[in-house]
Amino acid sequence: MSSLSQRFIQDRFSDYYKQNSALILPPTSIEKREFGFLIFEKRMMLRHRGFREVDGLRSSLSTIVPSDVYYSSAYYESPEEEMKAKGWLGADLIFDIDADHISTPCATLHDLWVCNSCGASGKGGHSQKCPACGGGKFKEKTWPCEVCLEAAKAEAIKLIDVLTDDFGFSTEMLTVAFSGHRGYHVHVESEKIHGLDSIARKEIVDYVMGIGLEAEFHGVGKSVSPERMFSGPDLNARGWRGRVARGTYDFLLTASTEELEKAGLRKGIAKKLVLNREALLESWKENGPWGGFKGLGLETWKKIAQYGVEKQSVKIDTVVTPDINRLIRLSNTLHGKTGLKKLEFSITDLEDFDPLRSAVAFKEGEVTVNVSEAPQFRVEDRIYGPFERQRVELPTAAALMLLCKGVAKVVQ
Ligand SMILES: [Zn+2]
Ligand SMILES: [Zn+2]
């Protein structure tokens, strides 16, 4: 990246931390948290920082001007010591939802790879070797696209449902935040979960994702009633039983003949099911469709229910939650890949939350940039691009999105 572009990004980040230091709020028990700053110049992490109060943190941000700011999910006796000597006291329970872990149809349209050795680039996933130079190392550039962000939000909604309904966490214990890039973070802060070790947290991951869950142990099986061959869980049942039912309902509501065939239905039966979809879903008001459809055996119902499990499974980053020493982005700090803020908001606003409006940190100024390649994107109300080898004048926030991604350069 040209030093002019680098300078521009750092100057804007510097403005932000000088003008908005009051927005930087201390996490609970700030004196027990470790802080980490990713440094622009060297792409190096300054770790093991600690602060007694928020003022020290605020002034560090405006002098260091990091590209990314993190704090520990854990509480330590001595957060500034090296890992072994910190004295772990407990940790919040954290969940990271990132569009990278959700398969969206648009990834091939907006994701780019760039060859580390020759700079060749292309869309979607890259092959093993660079087609231009044969090199094997690539930078991947993902994009905070609207479709991906909506997909991540849908996962956050599912997650909060599981955490409140199945685990019984009150909404006061939960915070939800936009990550500043392609996802959402959900935190649980409560004495009840502080002491959980990594294995216990992994169990929670498995539950939330429905890993190893088999529908036949959740009510899908032979019926005891003489009128029906099979039975299955009720839509309103608690826990995963209800989720299996609701996921199956959703699957049957939208599945195409091809998808049903993939689930193991013979073509004729799949077609018949699609034709009779409404009646089948209607039957759910009584006692569900289980066994209420000629030609579908128990094994097929189990497979269909497994698709239901898949629909209800929450796609979280499986590495983050079990890590009891994780550093996580601090709210109201800037994301080095976008220039957007990580932003906490009320759970009741989740459905309507618009990250590309609410998380915009820069509202003033314009700058002319040379864009190499960028997909279409939105910032606030305006749509930009797609761009290919173009010089454009853009508002600061839109320009930063491209500059931080390394697909544009500031024009002298
Ligand atoms: Zn190459
Ligand atoms: Zn997308």
Side-chain angles (χ1 to χ4, degrees), residues 113-121 129-138:
W113 55 265
V114 181
C115 170
N116 278 0
S117 1
C118 77
S121 63
K129 285 190 170 157
C130 170
C133 76
K137 291 209 162 139
F138 303 91

Side-chain angles (χ1 to χ4, degrees), residues 99 104-107 110-111 143-149 182:
T104 48
C106 42
H110 54 66
D111 288 352
W143 199 258
C145 108
E146 304 234 30
V147 177
C148 289
L149 286 171
R182 280 168 40 88

Side-chain angles (χ1 to χ4, degrees), residues 51-106:
F51 298 95
R52 307 283 326 156
E53 28 66 50
V54 73
D55 289 345
L57 170 63
R58 287 171 178 166
S59 66
S60 286
L61 292 182
S62 63
T63 50
I64 298 173
V65 189
S67 72
D68 300 87
V69 181
Y70 304 92
Y71 73 102
S72 61
S73 61
Y75 304 84
Y76 302 106
E77 265 166 40
S78 318
E80 292 179 276
E81 294 293 326
E82 62 175 283
M83 238 39 229
K84 273 184 257 163
K86 278 186 187 331
W88 191 84
L89 299 169
D92 300 329
L93 178 63
I94 56 174
F95 298 90
D96 180 16
I97 292 166
D98 191 299
D100 292 359
H101 301 115
I102 309 165
S103 62
T104 48
C106 42

